[in-house]
Amino acid sequence: MLYQITDWDDAYANGAHIPEGETYLPRWTKAAAAFRAEHRPLPLGRGHLFLPAHTPRGLMVFVHGGYWMRFDPSTWSHLAAGAIALGWACAIPAYRLAPRVRISQITQDIARAVAKAAFNVPGPVVLTGHSAGGHLAARMICEGVLPDRLAARITACVPISPLTDLRALLRTAMNQKLRLDMAEALSESPALLTPRANIPVTTWVGAAERPEFIRHARLLADAWAGLGTATECVLDPGRHHYDVIDGLTDPASPLMRRLLDHGA
């Protein structure tokens, strides 16, 4: 669908377009604290590693969003629930935030955290993340980011509402903090890079999201399909940018099945 953008900041604004959008952060924070009270995490740097009761079947990594500028893993602990219920470990890594660091440095933060978590949990690895975290999950399977031996363990990548072509963000006010220039926008845009072979990719986005997020999700799926990657773009009916991640809490959800079926 073609559309014209006249306000680039509004195009990437989510809360203002979601009913009761201001209520989600306190709800997430409360749910995350309750989950940690029942499932004590192991430290993963400044992040968290949740383990199931028995030997893990594998490792799921969830990378949080916040436009690379906000939040930390403590807000998202409850999103490990679906993986834990299915016997998988779940890592929720931390990363340094802009403007302290650039996006290219955040990519390396996540690469190190994924490697550390995978060292502690054997078996298959699946990657997911939301929004800016979806960007970072996709970056992990681009050539040259993770060590070959670790990349060979990855059985699925499901970026949720990902930002995949960062050139558009050069036009937004948030770039005053992100400090993207054209060179970094090109080198950090998964849709413009080459993925590793043989890792199935599903971009997952709410059908009720802002048009730009749907565009980014489709762009990555189409670009990587053109390079021979098995891809699909799923529009989750009725979901918006804040509730599209809810499926990660439900072991029977279509989102969890898409993540873990390849590694079962």
Side-chain angles (χ1 to χ4, degrees):
M1 180 178 66
L2 295 177
Y3 59 96
Q4 183 175 7
I5 295 176
T6 57
D7 185 337
W8 284 93
D9 294 313
D10 183 67
Y12 288 93
N14 288 297
H17 299 276
I18 293 173
E20 300 183 333
E22 73 282 357
T23 68
Y24 279 85
L25 179 56
R27 285 157 52 184
W28 291 330
T29 302
K30 182 178 180 180
F35 185 83
R36 287 195 306 278
E38 291 190 25
H39 304 273
R40 187 177 181 88
L42 299 176
L44 181 67
R46 293 179 295 111
H48 299 147
L49 177 62
F50 293 94
L51 297 176
H54 304 290
T55 301
R57 298 172 61 189
L59 172 69
M60 185 183 92
V61 178
F62 171 79
V63 188
H64 74 79
Y67 282 120
W68 307 275
M69 298 183 291
R70 298 181 65 198
F71 302 128
D72 64 67
S74 66
T75 307
W76 313 102
S77 306
H78 58 297
L79 299 183
I84 294 300
L86 293 170
W88 285 65
C90 180
I92 305 181
Y95 52 87
R96 294 171 294 170
L97 301 175
R100 178 186 172 195
V101 294
R102 303 178 71 95
I103 290 176
S104 56
Q105 294 172 285
I106 294 172
T107 295
Q108 293 307 311
D109 285 354
I110 294 301
R112 287 189 290 268
V114 171
K116 184 174 182 179
F119 178 80
N120 287 285
V121 180
V125 176
V126 298
L127 302 174
T128 189
H130 177 235
S131 198
H135 159 268
L136 293 164
R139 281 291 285 122
M140 292 304 102
I141 65 166
C142 294
E143 290 184 347
V145 177
L146 294 177
D148 292 346
R149 183 174 295 182
L150 171 53
R153 293 171 54 189
I154 299 173
T155 58
C157 181
V158 182
I160 304 169
S161 308
L163 293 156
T164 65
D165 183 348
L166 305 191
R167 291 176 296 180
L169 302 183
L170 295 170
R171 304 179 181 183
T172 66
M174 77 176 83
N175 198 43
Q176 294 174 20
K177 289 188 176 181
L178 296 177
R179 295 179 292 143
L180 279 167
D181 55 26
M182 183 57 75
E184 187 177 35
L186 293 170
S187 66
E188 286 296 320
S189 292
L192 308 179
L193 302 174
T194 302
R196 288 182 177 268
N198 303 317
I199 299 175
V201 175
T202 301
T203 55
W204 195 281
V205 64
E209 294 211 41
R210 305 290 285 145
E212 273 294 89
F213 285 91
I214 295 174
R215 181 182 72 84
H216 279 265
R218 286 174 166 161
L219 177 63
L220 184 68
D222 290 346
W224 282 4
L227 297 176
T229 296
T231 70
E232 184 178 0
C233 179
V234 173
L235 272 66
D236 200 343
R239 295 292 189 177
H240 54 63
H241 195 72
Y242 288 174
D243 66 6
V244 70
I245 53 177
D246 287 354
L248 294 175
T249 69
D250 179 3
S253 73
L255 177 55
M256 288 303 301
R257 289 200 301 271
R258 184 59 59 98
L259 268 165
L260 301 186
D261 279 356
H262 292 286

